[in-house]
Amino acid sequence: MVRLAAVCGVILLLVACAGDTHLTFLDPQGPIAHQQRWHFYWVLAVMAVLVAGPIFVLLPYWAWRYRYGNKSSTYKPNWDFSRLLEIMAWGGPIIIVAILGFFVWHDSHKLDPYKPIVSKQAPLRVEVIGYDWKWLFIYPDQGIASIGTLAMPVGRPVSLHITSATVMQSLFIPALGSQIYAMGGMVSQLNLEASKPGKSLGENTMYNGNGFHQQKFTALAMSPADFKAWVIKVGATGIVLDAQTLKLIARRSTRSDLIAALPKATSMRGNVYFTGVGKTLFPAVVKATMDGTKTLPNTVFASASAATTPAKRNSGAVTEPSQ
Amino acid sequence: MSIVADSGGPFLGRLSLHSLPFWDMLQHPTMSNIINGIIATGAASLVVIGALVVIALLTKYKLWRPLWSDWVTSTDHKKIGIMYIVIALVMLTRALIEAVLMRAQQAVGLHGGFLSPDHFAQLFSTHGTIMIFFMAMPFLTGVINYVMPMQIGARDVSFPVLNSISLGLTAAGAALVMVSLVIGKFSTGGWFGYPPYTEATFSPGVGPDYWIWALSLAGLASTLTGINFAVTIYKERAPGMKLMRMPLFTWTALCTAILMIFAMPPLTVATSQLALDRYLGFHYFTNALGGNMMNFANLFWLFGHPEVYILILPAFGVYSEVIATFSGKALFGYRSLVMATMAIAILSFTVWLHHFFTMGQNANINAVFGIASMLIGIPTGVKIYDWMLTMFRGRVRFTTPMVYSIGFILLFVLGGMSGILLANPTIDYQVHNTVFLVAHFHNVAVPGVLFGMLTAYHFWFPKAFGFRLNERWGIISALCWIFGFMGAFFPLYALGIMGLPRRTVAYAQARYVPLEWVAFLGALLLLAALLALLWQLWISIRDRDANRVFVGDPWDGRSLEWSNSAPPPEYNFAVIPSVQGRDAFTMAKENHSAYERPDTYKDIELPKNSAMGLVIAALGFALAFGLVWHIWWLVIAALLAVIASMIVRGFARDTTRLVSAQEVRREHHRWIDAVAAATAVSRANECKTVNVGLAQHQANGVVP
Ligand code: HEM
Ligand SMILES: [Cu+2]
């Protein structure tokens, strides 16, 4: 118990003096992580009081009281059954599990990552492709894409559709909410929302080779106005995502290797931005991975001209039907 | 030269100079290549030098013959058990050193460190694979082998030669993992080797093949062992040993055996399918052409979850025996404990999905499996309460096994709690695949499985070798394990909550550094614990004559394995005991029917030695090695030889030998004379040299 408290203390301490990147759901930046924290503390508290408490008190006490050297305590070498104690031994855990089971059922549904977040605003759609060892975030409704930063407006749900162009990966932004696997030829979903501006750690948690530990990104929550500006900036400065560029992205390399390999390295503080990203790119990558074909049809790459008029495509609220 | 360096041609398959650990370093002497090359070469040299030293010692002391006739060809379950445990200890040493290396790397892992990512990945993959398949499994198989037949009053297991073959297959698998240090590289896909990462497209080298065939050998060995144990418990019990009179350890052995029989096939299927993908271009788990890795995840964990109960149940059995014995009291709630064990065994097949809550299935499925996982907490809780109630109103002696047991209960409760946290899909979404998970499974694997096996080692060592282990160093080692564990793994809970993924070679968050250092120091303490354990063994062997317990009952034991001499005769019992109730030996001591001289003795039939185990081990190794390196002639030759050897064995008729009644009588009387000459000791003196293995009688309510 003391130890447990100490561990929790250490956690809190470290979280309290956290740097500028939010690392953990104990320092939540959105409603999902917030509820997860609550659930975590609740389960921990129930168990600390009902499970660990009695055992950590009784076991040392009994071991000491009934130690060999203590001749004054009761000794009943053949006493091996008591109906009452047996009922308690089974009943206690059953009650605890029943309480916790209720929470599991309730919260699994409430916090199902596939469940759209209820909001007045339509969700921002983002399509995520996991490459070795970088994530490509496509904003299909804005015609832009980014490697290194997942930008999102505060207060508006984000609906992520996720796939992998290589091996299994797992997309995770602890301070915002759940993680979900990215698998080749399949699309998984994750719904998140940021409630305050700030940077959160984003990562892949499923080992996928040498650059695994460098497959990080920043989840950047900003005010709606800033987000608008960001979209325009990306549209204006991004490079065109053509077949050649996508080939470079698909190579097994880290983000910094990619930046070094790009002919016109338009990297903004370690990020790479793209314009002219068509809506059909994501489904095409899913299908190509499923079919095992290396090249995508040319039609999925929007013409370069689209890239020059990003402002038209930017969005505060999406007008297209989403999903 | 260049041909040799690139490929071995038809004769050597994929073998070439590139397969040697120092080749890269010589070809491309960059700083990182040199450091990693030196570590890898050092490890390889340790393996080679270790083997050479063993060979030299065997030759010097002329031990080849006894090694052959007393050990490797032996079909005695006790010898086989001991050999299993030797394998486990060797592999434990390797895997622990690897763990310390990983902790050292992570301690300095802010933006770099000294290990290359590839090297680090091999370390966690071999560490995990070894700890599960070549440390924990052989250890528990060895302990069950040694103890269970004696607990049920049998002379041996049902199929002694099969037992030896299982040992051989396990050894071959372990050897394959060891050889991967010297020739080629091991997998980097972790202990569960998820495709498509482990498919040929992404991991073209020999690594995953080493992993696949090592697991196949180990898995086959465990299946055979499971069958052997289950049949033994069903068929070989002494008269009167009803199921509900069996010691709890035997019950857990039975449950584990059943789990082995049912859980291993999914693993074998999954790894075989992966092998078909890799070798013949099938598409079971590829991204393309209809493959789907989710099938692998399902099959693997359909094995994987029961597997963790295969590991933990025997440990529960050990703790049950130890806590009752050292509390001087009957096990509390025997019936409940049996039911709880069975419940765990069955439930363990219903929860595998909790290993991939994050794969995208819907909330109903996750919730059902989350609740099912929590249900296992119920019987586990019952066990903990029953152990505590066993101590309640007892006379608890804080010997080494008891220190482990108390450390186990307290730490295991924490591990169970973090398990319940993980069983909440909602929370799992946050800590899955982080080092929080690593902390959780080590929190059950180390205090549960590893401590359990070390407890068994301390508890039954005097029985197996006839002398007690040094108590002082036992306690020192136990405390180092306990505190080392806390230091090494509690920080990982916090780090996991701070978002550190498992299998991370380096990181960019300075905030991780202090906790990483604590974990590293904890790991060093664990290494010290292992050294203390080896030191204890050394000085115990040195002082063995002072600590003999030939009479055989150093701890005032309760079950039949304490009712014979230490070490026991090859046939275990001069006369098969007839069992009157639970705690058979305690009853015998109370009725003064222990240590009797029977009127008549009979000839005893024992299985003859057999070289089958060794033959299958060698051929199994050759087959696997050939498969790994694509040396097809070796594969075909080994396969044919396996079939041939089994046919030849099928014609063997003269497979048993007799120990004559006179010899049994002579040995038995020698022992009974020693019993008669011995002074019984009180429990206060059980760790002193006066303890020759005869316990003072415990009269009702009065402690001896
Ligand atoms: C005794 C001290 C031990 C230490 C210091 C230790 C340390 C470690 C470390 C550092 C890792 C890598 C964690 C990561 O991925 O970030 C690891 C992984 C692992 N360990 Fe241990 N370990 C110990 C004992 C055990 C035992 C007893 C078992 C099992 C019976 C075990 C099974 C595993 C497994 C299965 C993995 C996962 C490998 C993978 O990622 O595929 N370890 N351990
Ligand atoms: Cu499990």
Side-chain angles (χ1 to χ4, degrees), chain A residues 216-281:
Chain A
K216 310 281 178 201
F217 62 92
T218 308
L220 186 61
M222 42 179 89
S223 70
D226 286 350
F227 180 69
K228 226 175 218 174
W230 183 83
V231 170
I232 294 172
K233 186 185 80 180
V234 169
T237 58
I239 55 177
V240 177
L241 185 53
D242 52 17
Q244 194 52 38
T245 314
L246 197 69
K247 247 195 202 117
L248 283 175
I249 296 175
R251 283 208 311 214
R252 283 186 122 181
S253 62
T254 61
R255 191 182 351 141
S256 39
D257 296 336
L258 171 71
I259 291 171
L262 282 172
K264 288 172 287 171
T266 29
S267 144
M268 328 277 284
R269 290 202 213 91
N271 300 307
V272 192
Y273 297 133
F274 305 96
T275 66
V277 183
K279 279 196 164 72
T280 48
L281 178 62

Side-chain angles (χ1 to χ4, degrees), chain B residues 265-299:
Chain B
L267 174 69
T268 311
V269 169
T271 50
S272 309
Q273 288 179 316
L274 184 60
L276 285 172
D277 278 7
R278 288 181 62 84
Y279 283 77
L280 298 175
F282 280 39
H283 289 276
Y284 282 114
F285 310 125
T286 53
N287 276 334
L289 299 174
N292 196 322
M293 70 76 54
M294 296 199 292
N295 291 331
F296 184 93
N298 252 307
L299 282 172

